[in-house]
Amino acid sequence: MKLQAVIFDLDGVITDTAHLHFLAWREAAQELGIVIDAAFNEQLKGISRLDSLQRILEHGGRATDFTDAERQAIAARKNACYVASLTSLTPQSILPGIKELIVTLRQKGIRIGLASVSLNAPTILSALGIASLFDYCADASRVKHSKPAPDIFLVACEGLGVLPQHAVGVEDAQAGIEAINASGMASVGIGKDLQGAGLLLTSTHELNWPRLAAYWNNRNPVTEA
Ligand code: B16
Ligand code: MG
Protein backbone atom coordinates (compact mmCIF):
# COMPACT_ATOMS: atom_id res chain seq x y z
CA MET A 1 0.00 0.00 0.00
CA LYS A 2 1.43 3.37 -1.04
CA LEU A 3 1.68 6.17 1.50
CA GLN A 4 -0.80 8.84 0.40
CA ALA A 5 -0.60 11.56 3.04
CA VAL A 6 1.41 12.83 5.99
CA ILE A 7 -0.47 14.88 8.57
CA PHE A 8 1.56 17.07 10.89
CA ASP A 9 0.85 18.47 14.31
CA LEU A 10 2.05 22.08 14.53
CA ASP A 11 3.37 23.04 17.95
CA GLY A 12 6.37 20.84 18.74
CA VAL A 13 6.63 19.31 15.27
CA ILE A 14 6.72 22.16 12.75
CA THR A 15 7.80 24.88 15.16
CA ASP A 16 8.29 25.17 18.90
CA THR A 17 5.66 27.51 20.28
CA ALA A 18 5.38 25.56 23.56
CA HIS A 19 7.64 28.07 25.29
CA LEU A 20 5.53 31.01 24.06
CA HIS A 21 2.38 29.23 25.31
CA PHE A 22 4.15 28.71 28.65
CA LEU A 23 5.12 32.37 29.06
CA ALA A 24 1.56 33.50 28.29
CA TRP A 25 -0.03 30.92 30.61
CA ARG A 26 2.46 31.72 33.36
CA GLU A 27 1.43 35.38 33.23
CA ALA A 28 -2.30 34.57 33.17
CA ALA A 29 -1.90 32.06 36.02
CA GLN A 30 0.10 34.53 38.09
CA GLU A 31 -2.83 36.98 37.96
CA LEU A 32 -4.91 34.22 39.58
CA GLY A 33 -2.28 33.55 42.24
CA ILE A 34 -1.26 30.25 40.60
CA VAL A 35 2.36 29.37 39.93
CA ILE A 36 3.25 27.08 37.03
CA ASP A 37 6.70 25.98 35.92
CA ALA A 38 8.17 24.56 32.72
CA ALA A 39 7.77 20.98 33.97
CA PHE A 40 4.03 21.54 34.52
CA ASN A 41 3.81 23.08 31.04
CA GLU A 42 4.69 19.67 29.55
CA GLN A 43 1.17 18.55 30.49
CA LEU A 44 -0.36 21.30 28.34
CA LYS A 45 1.23 20.20 25.07
CA GLY A 46 -1.42 19.30 22.49
CA ILE A 47 -4.21 20.23 24.93
CA SER A 48 -6.80 22.81 23.82
CA ARG A 49 -6.88 26.33 25.26
CA LEU A 50 -9.82 25.83 27.65
CA ASP A 51 -8.65 22.35 28.68
CA SER A 52 -5.23 23.87 29.43
CA LEU A 53 -6.90 26.49 31.64
CA GLN A 54 -8.83 23.75 33.45
CA ARG A 55 -5.57 21.90 34.22
CA ILE A 56 -3.97 25.12 35.49
CA LEU A 57 -6.95 25.88 37.75
CA GLU A 58 -6.87 22.32 39.13
CA HIS A 59 -3.13 22.65 39.71
CA GLY A 60 -3.77 25.85 41.70
CA GLY A 61 -6.67 24.38 43.68
CA ARG A 62 -9.10 26.81 42.01
CA ALA A 63 -11.00 24.40 39.72
CA THR A 64 -14.45 25.54 40.90
CA ASP A 65 -13.76 29.25 41.42
CA PHE A 66 -14.75 30.63 37.99
CA THR A 67 -17.85 30.81 35.80
CA ASP A 68 -17.70 29.88 32.12
CA ALA A 69 -17.66 33.58 31.18
CA GLU A 70 -14.75 34.24 33.55
CA ARG A 71 -12.85 31.28 32.08
CA GLN A 72 -13.40 32.64 28.58
CA ALA A 73 -12.06 36.01 29.72
CA ILE A 74 -8.94 34.46 31.29
CA ALA A 75 -8.34 32.38 28.13
CA ALA A 76 -8.77 35.49 25.96
CA ARG A 77 -6.19 37.39 28.05
CA LYS A 78 -3.74 34.52 27.72
CA ASN A 79 -4.36 34.35 23.99
CA ALA A 80 -3.78 38.08 23.48
CA CYS A 81 -0.42 37.74 25.23
CA TYR A 82 0.42 34.61 23.17
CA VAL A 83 -0.59 36.18 19.85
CA ALA A 84 1.58 39.24 20.60
CA SER A 85 4.56 36.91 21.08
CA LEU A 86 3.96 35.21 17.70
CA THR A 87 5.54 38.22 15.95
CA SER A 88 8.86 36.65 16.95
CA LEU A 89 8.27 33.76 14.51
CA THR A 90 10.07 33.75 11.15
CA PRO A 91 10.90 31.05 8.55
CA GLN A 92 14.01 30.36 10.69
CA SER A 93 11.67 29.16 13.45
CA ILE A 94 10.77 25.99 11.51
CA LEU A 95 12.20 22.97 13.33
CA PRO A 96 15.20 21.25 11.66
CA GLY A 97 14.41 19.00 8.71
CA ILE A 98 10.71 19.75 8.52
CA LYS A 99 10.61 21.99 5.45
CA GLU A 100 12.97 19.66 3.54
CA LEU A 101 10.75 16.69 4.40
CA ILE A 102 7.56 18.45 3.31
CA VAL A 103 9.15 19.50 0.00
CA THR A 104 10.34 15.92 -0.62
CA LEU A 105 6.93 14.46 0.21
CA ARG A 106 5.24 16.87 -2.20
CA GLN A 107 7.69 15.89 -4.95
CA LYS A 108 6.64 12.29 -4.38
CA GLY A 109 2.96 13.18 -4.75
CA ILE A 110 2.22 12.60 -1.07
CA ARG A 111 -0.38 14.99 0.29
CA ILE A 112 0.37 17.24 3.26
CA GLY A 113 -2.09 18.01 6.05
CA LEU A 114 -2.17 19.87 9.35
CA ALA A 115 -3.93 18.64 12.49
CA SER A 116 -3.30 21.25 15.14
CA VAL A 117 -5.78 22.11 17.89
CA SER A 118 -4.41 25.66 17.89
CA LEU A 119 -6.87 28.29 16.71
CA ASN A 120 -3.80 30.35 15.82
CA ALA A 121 -2.47 27.74 13.37
CA PRO A 122 -3.14 29.77 10.17
CA THR A 123 -1.29 32.80 11.62
CA ILE A 124 1.66 30.61 12.62
CA LEU A 125 1.97 28.86 9.22
CA SER A 126 1.90 32.27 7.50
CA ALA A 127 4.60 33.65 9.83
CA LEU A 128 6.74 30.59 9.01
CA GLY A 129 6.15 31.15 5.28
CA ILE A 130 4.97 27.57 4.61
CA ALA A 131 1.17 27.89 4.46
CA SER A 132 1.14 27.18 0.70
CA LEU A 133 2.89 23.81 1.20
CA PHE A 134 -0.17 22.37 2.95
CA ASP A 135 -2.92 20.74 0.91
CA TYR A 136 -5.38 20.89 3.81
CA CYS A 137 -5.42 22.32 7.34
CA ALA A 138 -8.10 20.99 9.69
CA ASP A 139 -10.03 23.82 11.32
CA ALA A 140 -9.70 23.33 15.10
CA SER A 141 -12.75 25.51 15.78
CA ARG A 142 -14.96 22.96 14.02
CA VAL A 143 -13.68 19.95 15.93
CA LYS A 144 -15.82 19.03 18.92
CA HIS A 145 -13.49 16.62 20.72
CA SER A 146 -9.90 17.70 21.15
CA LYS A 147 -6.88 15.35 21.27
CA PRO A 148 -6.64 12.55 22.51
CA ALA A 149 -9.88 12.03 20.53
CA PRO A 150 -9.07 11.21 16.88
CA ASP A 151 -11.42 13.90 15.46
CA ILE A 152 -8.87 16.47 14.22
CA PHE A 153 -6.85 13.79 12.40
CA LEU A 154 -10.01 12.31 10.87
CA VAL A 155 -11.09 15.76 9.67
CA ALA A 156 -7.63 16.25 8.12
CA CYS A 157 -7.83 12.86 6.33
CA GLU A 158 -11.28 13.69 5.03
CA GLY A 159 -10.15 17.10 3.81
CA LEU A 160 -7.21 15.50 2.00
CA GLY A 161 -9.47 12.81 0.54
CA VAL A 162 -7.45 9.91 1.99
CA LEU A 163 -8.34 7.02 4.28
CA PRO A 164 -6.59 7.07 7.69
CA GLN A 165 -5.08 3.64 6.86
CA HIS A 166 -3.19 5.32 3.99
CA ALA A 167 -1.70 8.11 6.08
CA VAL A 168 0.95 8.85 8.71
CA GLY A 169 0.51 11.34 11.55
CA VAL A 170 3.41 13.12 13.27
CA GLU A 171 3.05 14.32 16.87
CA ASP A 172 5.11 15.47 19.85
CA ALA A 173 2.44 15.09 22.56
CA GLN A 174 1.08 11.96 24.26
CA ALA A 175 -2.48 13.14 23.65
CA GLY A 176 -1.60 13.54 19.97
CA ILE A 177 -0.11 10.04 19.61
CA GLU A 178 -3.27 8.64 21.17
CA ALA A 179 -5.37 10.66 18.72
CA ILE A 180 -3.40 9.37 15.71
CA ASN A 181 -3.58 5.76 16.88
CA ALA A 182 -7.33 6.06 17.55
CA SER A 183 -7.84 7.40 14.02
CA GLY A 184 -6.30 4.30 12.43
CA MET A 185 -3.32 6.17 10.98
CA ALA A 186 0.32 5.15 11.47
CA SER A 187 1.98 7.28 14.17
CA VAL A 188 5.37 8.94 14.38
CA GLY A 189 6.34 10.46 17.74
CA ILE A 190 8.89 13.23 18.22
CA GLY A 191 10.24 13.20 21.77
CA LYS A 192 11.37 10.88 24.52
CA ASP A 193 8.54 9.74 26.72
CA LEU A 194 5.81 8.98 24.21
CA GLN A 195 3.91 5.74 24.67
CA GLY A 196 2.44 3.91 21.69
CA ALA A 197 4.19 5.70 18.81
CA GLY A 198 4.70 3.37 15.82
CA LEU A 199 8.03 5.09 15.16
CA LEU A 200 9.69 7.14 17.90
CA LEU A 201 12.36 9.72 17.04
CA THR A 202 14.06 11.97 19.56
CA SER A 203 13.93 15.11 17.39
CA THR A 204 12.82 16.41 14.00
CA HIS A 205 16.51 16.17 12.95
CA GLU A 206 15.89 12.44 12.60
CA LEU A 207 12.65 12.78 10.65
CA ASN A 208 13.47 12.35 6.97
CA TRP A 209 12.05 10.56 3.94
CA PRO A 210 14.26 7.40 4.12
CA ARG A 211 13.24 6.82 7.76
CA LEU A 212 9.56 7.52 7.09
CA ALA A 213 9.53 5.31 3.97
CA ALA A 214 11.25 2.45 5.84
CA TYR A 215 8.67 2.68 8.65
CA TRP A 216 5.77 2.74 6.20
CA ASN A 217 7.07 -0.11 4.02
CA ASN A 218 7.75 -2.25 7.06
CA ARG A 219 4.20 -1.67 8.29
CA ASN A 220 2.59 -2.05 4.86
CA PRO A 221 4.70 -4.52 2.86
CA VAL A 222 3.96 -4.53 -0.86
CA THR A 223 2.54 -7.97 -1.73
CA GLU A 224 3.24 -9.38 -5.17
CA ALA A 225 0.16 -10.31 -7.22
P1 B16 B 1 -4.34 27.99 20.92
P2 B16 B 1 -0.78 21.61 18.60
C1 B16 B 1 -1.63 23.05 20.67
O1 B16 B 1 -1.04 22.98 19.41
C2 B16 B 1 -0.59 23.35 21.73
O2 B16 B 1 0.30 22.25 21.84
C3 B16 B 1 -1.26 23.56 23.06
O3 B16 B 1 -0.30 23.88 24.05
C4 B16 B 1 -2.28 24.70 22.93
O4 B16 B 1 -2.98 24.91 24.16
C5 B16 B 1 -3.27 24.35 21.83
O5 B16 B 1 -2.56 24.14 20.61
C6 B16 B 1 -4.30 25.43 21.59
O6 B16 B 1 -3.65 26.55 21.06
O7 B16 B 1 -4.52 28.55 22.29
O8 B16 B 1 -3.37 28.74 20.06
O9 B16 B 1 -5.67 27.77 20.21
O10 B16 B 1 0.27 20.86 19.36
O11 B16 B 1 -2.09 20.85 18.48
O12 B16 B 1 -0.30 22.12 17.27
MG1 MG C 1 2.13 19.47 19.49
Side-chain angles (χ1 to χ4, degrees), residues 9-11 21 44 46-47 49 52 116-120 147:
D9 170 49
L10 177 59
D11 176 24
H21 276 294
L44 305 182
I47 303 295
R49 198 179 303 167
S52 298
S116 168
V117 297
S118 174
L119 299 170
N120 296 299
K147 300 166 187 176

Side-chain angles (χ1 to χ4, degrees), residues 14-165:
I14 291 176
T15 190
D16 190 7
T17 46
H19 188 66
L20 302 179
H21 276 294
F22 169 57
L23 295 179
W25 275 129
R26 188 173 65 178
E27 197 172 313
Q30 213 162 20
E31 287 171 18
L32 308 173
I34 299 172
V35 176
I36 60 169
D37 59 16
F40 174 82
N41 189 57
E42 289 298 305
Q43 287 182 36
L44 305 182
K45 286 188 176 174
I47 303 295
S48 74
R49 198 179 303 167
L50 286 174
D51 287 348
S52 298
L53 175 58
Q54 176 63 19
R55 290 194 185 198
I56 290 167
L57 294 178
E58 282 168 9
H59 175 72
R62 302 201 63 186
T64 56
D65 287 3
F66 301 95
T67 64
D68 283 352
E70 286 167 338
R71 284 165 187 258
Q72 293 287 353
I74 297 165
R77 280 203 299 279
K78 178 267 171 179
N79 192 53
C81 179
Y82 175 65
V83 168
S85 72
L86 293 178
T87 53
S88 63
L89 294 181
T90 70
Q92 278 66 50
S93 314
I94 302 172
L95 286 169
I98 291 294
K99 187 162 179 191
E100 294 78 355
L101 175 64
I102 292 176
V103 168
T104 304
L105 292 171
R106 289 181 66 86
Q107 283 165 354
K108 294 185 179 298
I110 296 167
R111 293 170 70 70
I112 307 296
L114 187 81
S116 168
V117 297
S118 174
L119 299 170
N120 296 299
T123 310
I124 296 171
L125 287 187
S126 298
L128 299 175
I130 52 172
S132 64
L133 297 180
F134 285 77
D135 296 298
Y136 187 79
C137 297
D139 180 354
S141 68
R142 296 180 60 188
V143 171
K144 209 168 167 197
H145 302 106
S146 203
K147 300 166 187 176
D151 303 27
I152 190 119
F153 283 97
L154 292 174
V155 168
C157 285
E158 205 184 322
L160 290 170
V162 302
L163 292 172
Q165 291 72 20

